Amino acid sequence: MVGALAVVSAQNGQRQVSLVVTGGTVVTVDAANRVLPVGAVAVDGTDIVAVDTAENIARQFRGRDTIDATGQIILPGLINTHTHAAMALFRGLADDLALMEWLNRYIFPAEARAVSPEFVRAGTRLAALEMIQSGTTTFADMYYFEEEVANETKAAGLRGVLGQTIIQFPVADAKTPADGLVRADAFIKAFKGDPLITPAVAPHALYTLDGPTLRAARDLSRRHNVPTLIHLAETRDEVQVAQERFKSSPVAYLDSLGFLGPGVLAAHGIWVSDADIAVLKARGVGVSHNPESNMKLASGAAPVPAYIRADVNVGLGTDGAASNNDLDMFEAMRVASLLHKHVTVDPRALGAHTALEMATIRGARALGMDRLIGSLEARKHADLITISMRGARQTPMYDPVSHLVYVVRGDDVQNTIVNGKVLMRNRKMLTLDEAAILAEAREWAAKVRAAVK
Ligand SMILES: [Zn+2]
């Protein structure tokens, strides 16, 4: 892929590449935690070809395009391991409720009346705009009409692990779970092998699905060798359901179905025992930690330090904007770090470096994509962002990783690049029409309000 575009300039021995991002502090999040105070990243086509000092990159490469990142941090794009992009249109619709009441009284009824292919397209565009503006380059999604999510994700230029939802009751895109499975099968066939989209199956949760459907959903993902996304052990109510119906914990129940294995990403994983954690580790399940949604719905605090000690791959997520209420992964890092210090009364429980890894390389591992994304290294996909460090809030800077977790906000992101393509340049959107997306979202809000009256 790289070779086809490589041209060696005769005059000075420099290799011509498509893009050089240079002059910033490069925080690679590679295995050696390399930080280059004045560094650069050379990109050719869809991939990174070199990460080095700005001087060494300038000697070896000439970019057909150059982004000057002086006064900025150059970072791998952030990976949001759990969201429901289209729910951006439900942002702020119902707050200050526990999960089950929030779902049953507001979200499921609103979805029953409002969700359509047009709704999903508009909501995904809004979420994509927010994600690009706040430095997310890959997101894992669970929703309805997932082919619409995929088309909008591709149009925006983002990378997505997109799961077609399977749920027991009738929903907008499927009258029965069997219909949902047929949809998921068609969706996988349509998008498998796409450079930006990894199709997936998303059985909603054990409390909204029966055993045969959970098994069928998992069989489908195994047959196609695609990821399975599920909500797991999110609330004490879910634990109670599992105890009453199956005389077991949520994790043990799914394990008894043969559901757990590599390729499964479990969102939340809050109410788990040490034995459950050992099962998740043994089965190679990834976990998505969503501290803001969990705190807002008062679902509880996932035992993230215990997961990390047990070497379970834990990434970070925002959950949908209806329960967060934004998609800012910098905020998710900060809240994750503060939450675990707070609940353990130990300031070392989740340090800045680990929080940053959860938003990048650990998230990539949880999704099984760490050979492709999650750090700035040659031969990985060119998914990177630059972040201004010039404001009062970021001055002075002793430690870039500290600032990334404890002071940076999504708005500080200046450039967002996915698969070698610049999606936002100096905060100007290049793939999306910002004004049109915002106007459309405001129109949808009127319809949603009418639907939940
Ligand atoms: Zn969720």
Side-chain angles (χ1 to χ4, degrees):
M1 199 173 293
V2 164
L5 288 165
V7 178
V8 175
S9 145
Q11 303 94 304
N12 48 20
Q14 284 171 312
R15 175 174 155 194
Q16 192 180 84
V17 293
S18 55
L19 173 68
V20 172
V21 182
T22 187
T25 300
V26 179
V27 177
T28 62
V29 203
D30 67 6
N33 292 318
R34 205 155 57 118
V35 174
L36 300 152
V38 185
V41 178
V43 171
D44 204 28
T46 59
D47 293 347
I48 294 169
V49 292
V51 181
D52 208 335
T53 62
E55 202 181 333
N56 283 345
I57 294 288
R59 197 175 303 129
Q60 296 171 65
F61 300 98
R62 191 157 46 84
R64 281 190 294 280
D65 186 11
T66 302
I67 289 177
D68 179 4
T70 305
Q72 302 182 30
I73 286 176
I74 304 172
L75 189 71
L78 304 180
I79 299 171
N80 185 346
T81 52
H82 180 67
T83 192
H84 312 278
M87 291 182 83
L89 291 177
F90 293 141
R91 189 195 319 268
L93 177 66
D95 300 308
D96 310 327
L97 296 164
L99 178 72
M100 295 304 173
E101 192 184 6
W102 179 77
L103 280 178
N104 292 322
R105 274 190 51 200
Y106 293 91
I107 297 302
F108 288 152
E111 286 180 333
R113 291 183 207 117
V115 172
S116 63
E118 297 73 28
F119 174 96
V120 169
R121 284 200 289 273
T124 304
R125 281 196 285 266
L126 177 63
L129 176 65
E130 187 184 353
M131 288 192 275
I132 293 170
Q133 288 180 336
S134 56
T136 292
T137 55
T138 295
F139 70 105
D141 191 78
M142 301 170 68
Y143 214 58
Y144 308 102
F145 300 108
E146 205 65 27
E147 69 285 356
E148 306 291 355
V149 179
N151 286 327
E152 294 302 330
T153 301
K154 278 169 70 74
L158 284 169
R159 199 179 295 286
V161 178
L162 308 181
Q164 169 64 37
T165 289
I166 313 292
I167 202 159
Q168 206 71 35
F169 51 79
V171 286
D173 68 351
K175 284 199 188 69
T176 65
D179 291 348
L181 288 163
V182 169
R183 271 196 145 270
D185 185 57
F187 170 63
I188 293 164
K189 285 175 181 150
F191 286 93
K192 200 151 183 226
D194 187 278
L196 291 173
I197 306 301
T198 303
V201 184
H204 177 267
L206 64 82
Y207 59 89
T208 48
L209 286 164
D210 65 20
T213 308
L214 282 165
R215 266 209 199 93
R218 184 69 179 120
D219 287 347
L220 178 66
S221 68
R222 282 199 171 107
R223 204 153 58 236
H224 289 291
N225 192 27
V226 297
T228 306
L229 314 176
I230 188 166
H231 296 101
L232 180 59
E234 182 174 2
T235 61
R236 277 188 289 207
D237 291 342
E238 182 179 336
V239 173
Q240 207 178 330
V241 166
Q243 283 300 343
E244 280 167 11
R245 292 189 200 160
F246 319 115
K247 306 272 173 283
S248 93
S249 75
V251 170
Y253 169 62
L254 286 189
D255 199 38
S256 75
L257 295 178
F259 188 98
L260 302 178
V264 173
L265 184 82
H268 307 302
I270 296 171
W271 297 99
V272 292
S273 64
D274 288 349
D276 291 332
I277 292 174
V279 168
L280 293 172
K281 169 62 188 168
R283 301 288 178 256
V285 171
V287 172
S288 173
H289 176 46
N290 298 256
E292 295 168 85
S293 174
N294 298 160
M295 290 169 78
K296 186 159 181 283
L297 296 163
S299 298
V304 170
Y307 279 127
I308 288 174
R309 276 196 301 275
D311 195 29
V312 173
N313 291 321
V314 191
L316 208 51
T318 57
D319 211 342
S323 65
N324 183 301
N325 291 358
D326 62 42
L327 305 177
D328 183 344
M329 284 290 291
F330 287 97
E331 196 176 273
M333 279 193 259
R334 179 153 58 250
V335 171
S337 181
L338 298 182
L339 169 64
H340 298 290
K341 295 176 200 309
H342 179 74
V343 297
T344 60
V345 199
D346 177 2
R348 289 159 304 186
L350 188 63
H353 180 71
T354 306
L356 177 62
E357 284 187 339
M358 286 171 70
T360 54
I361 189 67
R362 287 176 188 264
R365 277 186 213 128
L367 290 169
M369 297 174 80
D370 50 301
R371 286 202 310 216
L372 305 173
I373 57 172
S375 59
L376 297 178
E377 293 178 75
R379 288 178 295 281
K380 282 198 177 184
H381 291 322
D383 292 9
L384 59 149
I385 59 177
T386 77
I387 304 130
S388 173
M389 288 290 138
R390 283 176 165 148
R393 198 156 26 82
Q394 301 98 343
T395 305
M397 183 168 80
Y398 299 107
D399 174 359
V401 173
S402 165
H403 272 16
L404 287 168
V405 174
Y406 298 123
V407 304
V408 164
R409 297 177 189 155
D411 298 1
D412 298 327
V413 174
Q414 303 300 304
N415 295 282
T416 300
I417 297 155
V418 177
N419 219 29
K421 183 174 177 181
V422 184
L423 309 185
M424 179 174 76
R425 189 166 191 134
N426 301 321
R427 290 211 65 78
K428 187 178 181 303
M429 302 304 300
L430 301 183
T431 52
L432 296 175
D433 181 340
E434 182 172 0
I437 290 168
L438 297 180
E440 184 182 44
R442 289 184 191 111
E443 278 171 34
W444 272 102
K447 293 179 211 171
V448 168
R449 196 173 284 127
V452 294
K453 251 191 187 138

